[in-house]
Amino acid sequence: MRDEINLRAYGKINLGLDVTGKRPDGYHEVRMVMQNVSLYDSVRIGMRRAPGIGVRTNLPFLPTGSDNLVHRAAKLLMDEFGIEEGISISLYKKIPVAAGMAGGSSDAAAVLVGMNRMFRLGLSKKKLMERGVKLGADVPYCIMRGTALAEGIGERLTPLPSMPECVLLLAKPPVSVSTRFVYGNLKADSLPSHPDIDGILGGLERRDLAGIASCLGNVLETVTIPAYPMIQEIKDQMKEAGALAALMSGSGPTVFGIFTEREKAMGAERRIRDGGLARQIYMVRPFHVDGRNRR
């Protein structure tokens, strides 16, 4: 058993997000292309003398008790495996909160992975993913990571070829969006159009960045953009600065732009900052799961 473990919890964007219907239990059936980015939270899990779970974070407004997803992730494994030792979780957040980038889900996934290693529980990635879905639909993907097609409520995952190298500009406007509000107001049975998910899959197979960019789409924009028009303004600024495409991630409000040149991304960043549209802006790259990267 290890006394301490440090992990990286990577954020994600959606290259495509389609909703194909609503289930009797209230959940929506989705078809999404998920992509990790190089922006990450740092998660440290350590032993402590006091029993139970202690959580600390660099953001004072985040809960540290059972309302925090990392606390719930730790408790899930502690209860199942009868772990009696106390643990402390230190969470240093860089992924914007309530931003459509699965930051909380990624943090929870890192805790499941870390505790599995720390206490030598012997759970495979598949077994961890089965437990992760109890915490949230994005958690299994955040355990798997990389580029993936997500179906069902997001828990049915198919690995995909990696996104080609590019510059990704992320911009979160100064609003927080409730995922419940967005899905609650989505008219899933009367959407005006659907994104070309198969076109994105084909672009990934061909490693065709322009082809991928031409097929981006997110049906949740039909709810979030009317409620927060600055999302569209950010998209427009990115495109005018030379982005191949720009799209809202998840339920928003974060917007990402795909650029082939860093200078154009820097120009878009200046326009967005000067216009007061966002303060949280990050220039990142696609995160690939291979020997060069680490959790």
Side-chain angles (χ1 to χ4, degrees):
M1 189 167 63
R2 298 164 65 173
D3 290 337
E4 181 179 301
I5 190 165
N6 294 281
L7 305 106
R8 293 179 176 183
Y10 291 89
K12 66 83 186 166
I13 56 174
N14 298 92
L15 300 178
L17 195 164
D18 195 12
V19 174
T20 57
K22 193 172 183 179
R23 306 190 329 178
D25 61 7
Y27 283 98
H28 287 81
E29 291 277 345
V30 297
R31 196 162 183 248
M32 307 184 291
V33 180
M34 316 276 271
Q35 174 63 55
N36 278 131
V37 298
S38 57
L39 182 66
Y40 63 87
D41 294 341
S42 298
V43 182
R44 185 185 69 80
I45 307 171
M47 305 295 295
R48 70 172 193 170
R49 289 178 180 165
I53 304 162
V55 178
R56 294 182 299 174
T57 174
N58 62 315
L59 299 180
F61 60 84
L62 285 183
T64 56
S66 57
D67 288 342
N68 192 305
L69 206 55
V70 299
H71 189 288
R72 289 170 54 198
K75 189 173 187 304
L76 187 150
L77 291 184
M78 292 176 81
D79 288 350
E80 179 180 353
F81 290 91
I83 297 169
E84 297 180 354
E85 294 87 349
I87 65 163
S88 63
I89 302 172
S90 296
L91 181 59
Y92 187 85
K93 295 227 28 108
K94 287 190 275 187
I95 302 169
V97 176
M101 293 189 64
S105 295
S106 191
D107 297 337
V111 168
L112 293 178
V113 170
M115 290 192 62
N116 186 45
R117 292 178 188 170
M118 212 170 149
F119 292 97
R120 297 176 182 167
L121 303 180
L123 295 171
S124 65
K125 184 179 286 188
K126 181 181 178 183
K127 293 293 185 183
L128 284 174
M129 290 165 65
E130 289 171 0
R131 287 155 176 81
V133 76
K134 298 175 184 177
L135 300 168
D138 282 343
V139 177
Y141 164 73
C142 293
I143 292 170
M144 188 179 86
R145 303 182 305 162
T147 313
L149 175 67
E151 298 174 287
I153 62 168
E155 87 291 2
R156 293 206 317 267
L157 297 166
T158 304
L160 298 173
S162 297
M163 184 179 184
E165 283 299 328
C166 61
V167 178
L168 297 168
L169 187 68
L170 311 175
K172 179 189 180 288
V175 295
S176 294
V177 175
S178 162
T179 300
R180 180 173 293 181
F181 164 79
V182 175
Y183 276 100
N185 287 277
L186 180 71
K187 296 180 172 51
D189 296 329
S190 57
L191 291 167
S193 62
H194 291 269
D196 186 0
I197 301 295
D198 289 335
I200 298 171
L201 302 185
L204 290 167
E205 287 283 352
R206 299 189 304 273
R207 301 198 57 75
D208 175 9
L209 187 64
I212 294 166
S214 70
C215 296
L216 295 192
N218 180 349
V219 297
L220 302 186
E221 289 187 339
T222 61
V223 177
T224 312
I225 288 178
Y228 304 98
M230 62 178 60
I231 293 171
Q232 185 63 51
E233 292 182 57
I234 293 172
K235 290 180 62 176
D236 292 343
Q237 291 289 352
M238 288 186 178
K239 290 175 185 175
E240 288 173 18
L244 293 179
L247 190 71
M248 184 183 80
S249 181
S251 55
T254 300
V255 175
F256 69 91
I258 300 176
F259 294 84
T260 56
E261 299 173 36
R262 184 178 179 85
E263 292 74 18
K264 289 182 178 179
M266 291 172 66
E269 179 179 1
R270 284 193 296 272
R271 294 171 71 135
I272 292 165
R273 286 195 191 278
D274 291 348
L277 295 171
R279 293 187 299 273
Q280 291 179 279
I281 308 178
Y282 308 88
M283 203 173 303
V284 301
R285 58 178 176 79
F287 172 87
H288 305 304
V289 180
D290 60 27
R292 298 170 297 165
N293 294 308
R294 46 174 277 226
R295 187 183 278 282

